Amino acid sequence: MSSVNLVLTLVFSVVMLLFMIYPAMKITEWIETKVDIPNKWHNPLMFSIVILLSIMIGIFLRFA
């Protein structure tokens, strides 16, 4: 993977960070209904899902 592809993927991912907050909140709520998760893990779980979703969408936008 060339550096241009990596930079474009990261640029698309950064833009998608704001749009992925709501789906991440809903996914986190759904996970909490299925699994008992302590309160201190709520925010790190949500932030990791936001980052994961935005990187996935960035990769999709780069190669689609």
Side-chain angles (χ1 to χ4, degrees):
M1 179 182 242
S2 69
S3 62
V4 174
N5 287 339
L6 181 63
V7 169
L8 284 175
T9 302
L10 291 176
V11 166
F12 289 142
S13 297
V14 167
V15 172
M16 294 307 296
L17 280 173
L18 290 174
F19 297 108
M20 291 296 115
I21 292 173
Y22 183 74
M25 288 182 351
K26 290 298 178 183
I27 291 171
T28 305
E29 288 176 7
W30 179 77
I31 290 173
E32 286 180 340
T33 62
K34 303 293 180 186
V35 180
D36 186 30
I37 297 176
N39 284 338
K40 70 176 186 175
W41 285 99
H42 177 80
N43 287 338
L45 177 64
M46 190 181 69
F47 289 137
S48 62
I49 292 173
V50 167
I51 291 171
L52 179 70
L53 289 175
S54 65
I55 289 174
M56 287 172 41
I57 297 295
I59 291 171
F60 173 76
L61 289 174
R62 173 65 187 115
F63 293 110

